[in-house]
Amino acid sequence: MWNSRSHFWKGVSSLIPNNRKALIAGNWKMYKTIAETEAFFTEVAPLVKGVTHCEVVIAPPFTALRRAAELAESVGISIGAQDLHWEKEGAWTGAISATIIRETGATFTIVGHSERRQFFGETDQSVNKKIGAALSAGLRAIVCIGETLQERETGQTEAVLNRQLVNGLAGLTEPEFSPIIVAYEPVWAIGTGRTATPEIAQQAHCFIRGCVGQIVSPTVARGLRILYGGSVKPDNIRGLMEQPDIDGALVGGASLQAKSFASIVHYQVMEAAKF
Ligand code: 13P
């Protein structure tokens, strides 16, 4: 069933076959001015230009989106926002809509990052509305889910992930999933240096794919790219990428330096590529 926002994504699903294309995304959080963004792209351009084995995305602060989009185009990097508001426009002081993001040249947005959930009152319901707004404006959505340490230690990981998926993805039709990417980011691994082992991450990714299979359809689940996020570094990306259900990474701290980000992008030739 196509609805009003599906037209953006006609034909896109065929670009994402079951052999899922890897995606490496950098989430800069509240780092980098426009000048620092320019310096990053100058340095990263020769290191990642011509990469075809994976898609590469950078999510700078809102203020640097436009300049980043200009600089990224010739390098083959896509640009994403870190958040958006679900309304098209209105009296929402400090908020940014999908349309405003789209105008900068950005084509992705992160939705439901755990820092938004923890510190800015993001809920599964607001995540759901934001996904709808992103798709309506033609933005791809990287939807973040993940359990806290306390939830993991009390055996609630699967229940939490399932709840975030059921509520966050509620009401989406099958065709609307082609621009959706899920990022599994266990909160206890973010910015702590404590990465989930490849086995723990794989287990969660496999569970997430199974949930999507039940919530939506096995076909959508097979085609869905699931990224891992949480202390991803050049020295642990390879083990993560070797897992069958890990299709890429959402990188925080290590995406701020061009060299370490490029090393992560080149995860498959880590031994040879010493930047
Ligand atoms: P770190 O890679 O700094 O742990 O951050 C992960 C993250 O939150 C990416 O969105």
Side-chain angles (χ1 to χ4, degrees):
M1 259 275 277
W2 294 92
N3 66 17
S4 60
R5 60 191 185 225
S6 300
H7 68 278
F8 279 111
W9 308 112
K10 271 186 187 172
V12 173
S13 55
S14 63
L15 298 176
I16 306 171
N18 293 345
N19 56 340
R20 303 173 292 269
K21 183 156 189 167
L23 192 157
I24 304 290
N27 173 12
W28 282 358
K29 308 191 180 186
M30 200 171 71
Y31 290 97
K32 292 199 192 290
T33 60
I34 293 175
E36 288 163 345
T37 300
E38 289 172 342
F40 175 91
F41 277 97
T42 303
E43 200 182 343
V44 89
L47 304 179
V48 303
K49 203 168 178 173
V51 160
T52 53
H53 67 275
C54 68
E55 256 189 280
V56 184
V57 178
I58 288 283
F62 287 130
T63 45
L65 280 176
R66 188 176 191 108
R67 187 69 184 123
E70 286 166 4
L71 296 167
E73 201 177 349
S74 62
V75 191
I77 295 179
S78 300
I79 298 301
Q82 298 173 15
D83 185 34
L84 74 163
H85 195 274
W86 59 81
E87 290 290 344
K88 279 202 182 83
E89 59 184 3
W92 299 94
T93 301
I96 299 285
S97 73
T99 316
I100 294 173
I101 292 167
R102 199 73 180 84
E103 193 204 25
T104 66
T107 50
F108 281 79
T109 184
I110 296 170
V111 182
H113 191 280
S114 66
E115 285 150 18
R116 304 295 316 174
R117 293 180 192 258
Q118 272 183 292
F119 307 124
F120 297 94
E122 189 87 274
T123 63
D124 293 339
Q125 287 65 36
S126 59
V127 166
N128 183 251
K129 289 195 280 187
K130 289 179 176 188
I131 295 171
L135 302 194
S136 297
L139 288 173
R140 292 174 185 232
I142 300 176
V143 181
C144 301
I145 59 172
E147 80 286 1
T148 63
L149 184 60
Q150 195 236 348
E151 288 164 342
R152 175 160 283 268
E153 287 178 341
T154 53
Q156 297 176 73
T157 299
E158 296 194 346
V160 168
L161 296 177
N162 188 59
R163 188 205 72 220
Q164 291 175 334
L165 288 166
V166 167
N167 297 334
L169 304 176
L172 292 167
T173 63
E174 277 199 41
E176 287 177 329
F177 274 85
S178 57
I180 290 179
I181 293 145
V182 168
Y184 170 60
E185 297 206 310
V187 179
W188 47 271
I190 294 178
T192 58
R194 193 179 157 185
T195 332
T197 62
E199 293 71 29
I200 289 176
Q202 164 60 23
Q203 211 174 27
H205 281 228
C206 183
F207 175 77
I208 290 165
R209 203 176 299 287
C211 287
V212 173
Q214 294 209 322
I215 300 166
V216 195
S217 78
T219 312
V220 165
R222 260 196 309 280
L224 180 72
R225 289 184 289 181
I226 307 175
L227 316 182
Y228 168 78
S231 298
V232 172
K233 306 280 181 256
D235 62 4
N236 60 28
I237 182 69
R238 194 170 180 161
L240 291 161
M241 292 302 288
E242 280 168 1
Q243 301 302 314
D245 287 295
I246 299 184
D247 306 311
L250 184 53
V251 187
S255 72
L256 295 171
Q257 303 298 326
K259 286 195 176 89
S260 60
F261 185 65
S263 290
I264 292 170
V265 167
H266 289 283
Y267 59 86
Q268 86 295 19
V269 286
M270 284 295 292
E271 302 311 319
K274 300 263 191 254
F275 295 119

